Amino acid sequence: MKTAREFIWKTIISGGGNAASVAVMDGGKIVYSEGFGPAERASNTPVGTDTRFNIGSTSKMFAAVGVLLLADEGKLRIDDPVVKHIPEFTMKDPRYRDITVRMLFNHSSGLPGSTFSFGYRADGDHQALLLETLSEARLKHAPGEMSIYCNDGFTLAEMVIERLSGKKFAEFVAERIFKPLDMNDSGESIGVAGGKIAEFYDNEGKIYPPEVVTVLGAGGLSSTPEDLCRFGDSFTPGGRNILSGPSLAEIMKQQPTPFSALLKGDAILEAFGWDYALLPAYRTNGYQVVGKSGGTMCYSTNLQILPGERLAVAAIFSGHVSADEATYRIMDALLKDKGLPRPASDPVKKSGEPQPVPEELLQKAGYYVNGEKAFRFSFDTGKHELHIHPLPQGPEEGMEAHPAEEKPLLSLVYTGGSFHDREKKNSYYFITGDSGTFLVVEKIPRFEADIPVFQKIEPVEDPGSMSVNVDGKLWLIRNMSAFDQLSEVFLMRSALYRELPGYVQFFGVNKIETPDFAAIAATGFRDQGEFRLFMKNGNVQAKAMQFIYSGKEILTPLAPGKNTVAIAPEGDNEWAAVPDECTLSFEKPVGGRVIVFSGEEEPEPLYDSITDSGDINVPGGALLFLAGNPGEIFEITVP
């Protein structure tokens, strides 16, 4: 209790979160449960033990249990191909037929991304959107090859459950999991279910509408820490087990892939829905530990279970907080209270004297990507160092390709078989397999797992180019709901690398294959999107994942006086530009939305009608995003 209170209050007071709730279960009984901070500030309503929060990806474990419940009934086998149960699921890549139900849960399906967005209203059919998006997509890697976090696999699992049970996912989970486990304060997102909820406030104190996450199997449920502990106890010996013995064994065991055999240490995600099925520090003391985190735009959750000791800890925050840090500290204190062996502290990593880099590793020099950008790897054989440089973007005539004064992002010293970052105390090593060549970070703190952080790509001998100049091109979103949260993807800029022709950066790094298509290059990382160009209404549009964009030629310039902007019959978002600094006023339709961005360069949202009202002073060059139903009218007055 002392540990929980100190950590949670410190987190809230320092601005890391608005409110929180925590629960501890020991031997099937709640031994500690407490809420922190106000659930709603205006009424000073405190968070209670029955106050619900959105739990994000912790919802994935309810999809995992749901599938195994159906397996217990003989309605499926977890190694069934997904297409057996969703025959209309197709992709451009024929290997999609090899994706099994199991692969959806250990994140090894090869599906490219996350086809959804967080919002404030349940708009559209997320399942239909996923099937449409996947029908145009290709896999990142062969099914089963490696585990890369993937939300879309759990939406497919949600669909499998609905097809085989004949019930909506929320109804199935309520009947088959919530009710048997007395989880009386769990359900769909707080923005759908309502009731006693913890509101979300930003750093300026603005209250946001209750959040809705439509992808229920991937992250769309809400709950309380007490209910999550009851759920966690169902996986323990002596708990209220709703799964059969074989299914319990299946959900608690590791689910390895061929890629993990290349690693020096342990891997994460190779479990049946869990983030991990063991932690080495606990394993040393003879414990298995499983855990699942969850994060939305507004909430952070973690559930940690020691099945053999029948212990469970859950914590949920309103705000952007590391909830897994809370559960780890509380579980450690609980073990101390009970006189049980505790995980040892992470040892300080020490590196020896620099050693010559072996010749076979010097051959790893070249170009690499992470989940976002491209880099150049080079070796300083005199200092025995690996240098990692971000690649400059855009063609610049006459500029040196490798300026001598350029400072590396990372300089890693080789010693003892690994490359060491002496400042941050991290160590790295290279691996090569069927999935490619990767630089892997060793034993990340707390999880003690090895994770790929860079992947090698090859220069293109005969590089292609896109049908339009995409270097530095600004793209404006056209298909966002008026109730979506993801304002950071409303304006995006594509870019080329002068050192690496044939590649374009847009939602990750992509290799140009035709004038209108660039394939995913960062195949070892989550949430990547192929880059496609197409024509619509005489304008070039771009698509990545489910997002569609137009260039700034669609901007409506605002003139002094009253300006009228109408949403087109197809419902596409509209955009307007403010030429000079002024004070704007708006009249928008009910349910419509206006967001004002600071401008083209590093755009920041200055005003959002979801949380703001009244007139606003805007700088010259500001951009306005307008969303509403087809035919609706926005009136914008410029003095």
Side-chain angles (χ1 to χ4, degrees), residues 556-563 576-586 596-598 606-607 614-624 636-639:
T556 298
L558 298 178
K562 183 174 288 187
N563 297 260
V578 182
D580 301 303
E581 180 180 355
C582 64
T583 299
L584 295 178
S585 59
F586 311 102
V596 180
F597 291 91
S598 55
L606 305 176
Y607 173 102
D615 298 347
I616 178 174
N617 184 263
V618 300
L623 302 179
L624 278 67
I636 307 162
T637 301
V638 179

Side-chain angles (χ1 to χ4, degrees), residues 134-332:
L134 292 179
S135 70
E136 300 177 343
R138 295 184 289 187
L139 294 172
K140 288 187 294 189
H141 58 75
E145 186 175 302
M146 63 188 301
S147 292
I148 305 170
Y149 201 88
C150 180
N151 284 301
D152 284 347
F154 288 81
T155 298
L156 289 178
E158 171 191 322
M159 296 169 66
V160 169
I161 290 170
E162 291 189 348
R163 301 292 173 85
L164 296 182
S165 69
K167 299 178 179 179
K168 289 293 187 181
F169 183 82
E171 180 184 0
F172 178 87
V173 170
E175 291 182 4
R176 300 296 304 275
I177 303 176
F178 295 161
K179 185 176 181 180
L181 298 179
D182 294 331
M183 297 177 63
N184 299 320
D185 298 308
S186 299
E188 293 189 59
S189 298
I190 61 172
V192 174
K196 297 180 66 175
I197 64 173
E199 301 283 2
F200 173 76
Y201 299 82
D202 67 14
N203 291 337
E204 296 178 356
K206 296 177 183 177
I207 185 171
Y208 283 68
E211 183 184 58
V212 173
V213 185
T214 56
V215 284
L216 302 185
L221 300 179
S222 63
S223 190
T224 66
E226 285 195 9
D227 271 6
L228 290 180
C229 283
R230 294 182 184 101
F231 178 65
D233 189 57
S234 74
F235 301 102
T236 70
R240 192 179 299 180
N241 306 139
I242 58 176
L243 291 174
S244 69
S247 286
L248 270 175
E250 188 67 55
I251 203 169
M252 301 304 285
K253 74 180 184 182
Q254 287 186 278
Q255 308 279 331
T257 66
F259 184 83
S260 61
L262 303 173
L263 301 175
K264 291 181 180 180
D266 291 296
I268 59 173
L269 296 182
E270 294 190 334
F272 204 88
W274 306 105
D275 291 337
Y276 48 84
L278 58 83
L279 291 179
Y282 282 89
R283 181 177 55 194
T284 300
N285 295 325
Y287 304 136
Q288 182 186 19
V289 59
V290 296
K292 186 71 193 84
S293 60
T296 70
M297 299 296 288
C298 299
Y299 301 93
S300 179
T301 306
N302 193 261
L303 169 65
Q304 190 177 61
I305 311 162
L306 266 65
E309 301 298 321
R310 206 178 173 189
L311 300 175
V313 176
I316 315 180
F317 289 82
S318 169
H320 306 128
V321 180
S322 176
D324 59 327
E325 180 71 18
T327 58
Y328 188 93
R329 292 188 184 204
I330 296 166
M331 182 68 80
D332 183 70

Side-chain angles (χ1 to χ4, degrees), residues 360-380:
E360 64 270 19
L361 294 183
L362 294 177
Q363 303 306 311
K364 306 295 186 183
Y367 296 103
Y368 286 74
V369 292
N370 60 9
E372 299 177 357
K373 298 182 180 180
F375 302 82
R376 183 179 68 255
F377 281 29
S378 61
F379 291 95
D380 184 329

Side-chain angles (χ1 to χ4, degrees), residues 10 37 61 96 115 147 245 256 287 314 376 388 461 468 505 514 544:
K10 179 180 178 181
M61 293 314 304
Y96 80 92
T115 311
S147 292
Y287 304 136
R376 183 179 68 255
I388 300 176
E461 291 186 7
V468 298
Q505 180 182 309
T514 73

